[in-house]
Amino acid sequence: MRRWRRNLFSLCAVLFCAATFVTLQGITLGTSERTAQRFVAMETGVITATLPAASWERAEQEVIDQVVGIPHVENAGTLVMGDQVPKSVTAGSWGMRLSTNVAIGTMNGLHARGAQLRSGLPLADDDINAVLLGERVARELGIGDGQSGHEIAVDGVPMRVAGIIEDAPHQSALATSIVMTPATARRVDLLPSLRVVQIGVEQGTANQVAQHLPMALAPEQPQAVSLKLPADPRSLRESLMADAEQTTLIITVVMVVVSIFTVVNTMQIAITERRREIGISLGLGMPAWHIALQFLLEAMLLGLCGGLVGMTLGSLIAATIAMCMGWQFMLPWSVAFVPFAGAIVGAVGALVPAVQATRINPAELLRSN
């Protein structure tokens, strides 16, 4: 207490390290939780099943009937997105030409994806001369909501615009695509070799439903069916939390090293100031380990106090930030050990100075004074 100004530096160093660690834990966990929630909200709950080429011979209703009977399946239908279609097409209207992707599917497939018809009429499965336009394609071709039935040219083939489609929330691929039925795609030689079926399921049931899909979609060769499942919200959250903890750990290690050097410097100054006191104590027969223990306990006490105050301050800062940003306030159980970690940091920082204090020769020190 008599040297409080000198000890204040060590106390503040440990306090700052502890407060930063706790604050970072609260911020990273809060932001990771919010990010995970946003990803979960963006998940459509759709399983994408890729079937062999022979499946194109099966009627759409036959495929749907076999799938919708599985528990937790809400809807299903054929929908091949533009990246799986052999080539793009050129659409022309009002003297304008536009190169765009083609999506091949049925209204059931669009509904399973979560897309909605913004205007116009739905496509029939046996339509061979009608298309739906993504909203961006329609805008660039100068076709508005009230112009259903307008004729465009798709690679030189006249097609009737049945309506304008909006993609699912948080999705945009259909906005830049022309949607046509499998019958139309076969007519213009755009039918892909593999058939893709979109299966809408209840949130959190994708793994359970996936176990039954291969046999339902292709009972003659279930091994030929490949499935793409939506991300598991729990594994996504765990992955984000792990990344956040690693980042926090790296920053904390750097700050701990800085705190240790601060404690070392403080203890070195303390030994210099107390050399006469140390020499007298040794000369009167005080054991060397007792001298060393004094410095270790002093540094550990500073670390413990700094860690305790820093943990409290960091928790308050993290809670305030979470409240202002609308995050969920979260702190890991490891935060409770911050004061003890501060004591360990103090002990490590004081170890070398404490050993140096025991090596003072009291005879030389007393003669010099």
Side-chain angles (χ1 to χ4, degrees):
M1 297 300 296
R2 288 179 300 169
R3 301 174 179 85
W4 64 271
R5 291 183 179 85
R6 168 176 52 78
N7 291 334
L8 186 62
F9 288 107
S10 294
L11 183 67
C12 290
V14 179
L15 186 154
F16 182 71
C17 177
T20 304
F21 170 75
V22 175
T23 303
L24 285 175
Q25 286 283 357
I27 293 175
T28 52
L29 291 181
T31 54
S32 298
E33 180 68 18
R34 171 61 67 86
T35 304
Q37 290 175 355
R38 287 176 176 173
F39 274 112
V40 171
M42 291 172 61
E43 283 296 335
T44 58
V46 176
I47 299 176
T48 303
T50 304
L51 282 62
S55 63
W56 283 115
E57 304 303 322
R58 298 169 59 191
E60 177 78 357
Q61 194 58 47
E62 179 185 351
V63 174
I64 295 175
D65 291 342
Q66 291 180 330
V67 173
V68 295
I70 300 175
H72 308 297
V73 172
E74 297 178 337
N75 44 42
T78 300
L79 182 61
V80 185
M81 298 303 295
D83 56 348
Q84 296 173 296
V85 177
K87 62 178 182 178
S88 59
V89 298
T90 300
S93 175
W94 307 110
M96 294 177 288
R97 297 174 64 83
L98 174 68
S99 179
T100 184
N101 295 325
V102 176
I104 299 170
T106 62
M107 295 306 299
N108 289 320
L110 292 171
H111 291 154
R113 176 180 169 87
Q116 296 181 350
L117 191 65
R118 192 176 80 181
S119 64
L121 299 173
L123 293 174
D125 291 350
D126 56 355
D127 254 328
I128 59 172
N129 64 345
V131 295
L132 293 173
L133 301 183
E135 50 188 343
R136 182 174 175 182
V137 174
R139 184 170 61 251
E140 294 190 7
L141 290 177
I143 299 174
D145 292 342
Q147 294 179 303
S148 299
H150 177 73
E151 187 175 282
I152 64 172
V154 179
D155 278 352
V157 180
M159 295 283 177
R160 176 177 55 85
V161 177
I164 299 175
I165 196 81
E166 284 184 355
D167 206 348
H170 310 294
Q171 305 289 335
S172 60
L174 287 179
T176 58
S177 301
I178 293 177
V179 182
M180 60 178 62
T181 64
T184 303
R186 184 179 283 110
R187 174 192 172 197
V188 295
D189 196 25
L190 285 175
L191 195 69
S193 58
L194 300 177
R195 183 176 186 175
V196 178
V197 177
Q198 309 280 341
I199 302 104
V201 299
E202 298 175 6
Q203 285 287 352
T205 62
N207 290 326
Q208 183 179 348
V209 172
Q211 298 176 4
H212 307 282
L213 284 178
M215 185 60 68
L217 290 169
E220 65 286 350
Q221 46 177 342
Q223 71 281 357
V225 178
S226 64
L227 301 177
K228 180 182 178 181
L229 277 63
D232 184 5
R234 289 174 297 180
S235 62
L236 175 62
R237 183 181 182 279
E238 292 173 358
S239 176
L240 289 172
M241 293 299 183
D243 291 342
E245 289 178 359
Q246 289 179 0
T247 303
T248 304
L249 179 62
I250 294 172
I251 297 174
T252 303
V253 168
V254 175
M255 299 191 65
V256 165
V257 172
V258 174
S259 298
I260 289 175
F261 276 108
T262 304
V263 173
V264 169
N265 184 59
T266 303
M267 291 297 104
Q268 291 280 15
I269 297 174
I271 292 172
T272 302
E273 292 177 350
R274 298 165 62 181
R275 284 178 62 85
R276 181 177 178 80
E277 177 186 335
I278 295 171
I280 293 173
S281 299
L282 290 173
L284 293 175
M286 181 178 288
W289 65 267
H290 199 284
I291 300 294
L293 186 61
Q294 287 183 8
F295 288 99
L296 285 175
L297 289 177
E298 180 180 337
M300 290 178 67
L301 182 60
L302 289 173
L304 181 65
C305 294
L308 184 61
V309 177
M311 179 186 70
T312 305
L313 181 62
S315 300
L316 292 175
I317 295 174
T320 302
I321 294 175
M323 182 177 63
C324 295
M325 300 299 294
W327 301 336
Q328 180 180 354
F329 175 58
M330 302 174 63
L331 283 176
W333 59 268
S334 58
V335 167
F337 294 97
V338 167
F340 304 102
I344 294 173
V345 168
V348 172
L351 187 60
V352 173
V355 172
Q356 290 177 346
T358 63
R359 295 179 179 177
I360 294 177
N361 188 338
E364 294 180 2
L365 185 64
L366 292 174
R367 281 199 302 268
S368 66
N369 287 273

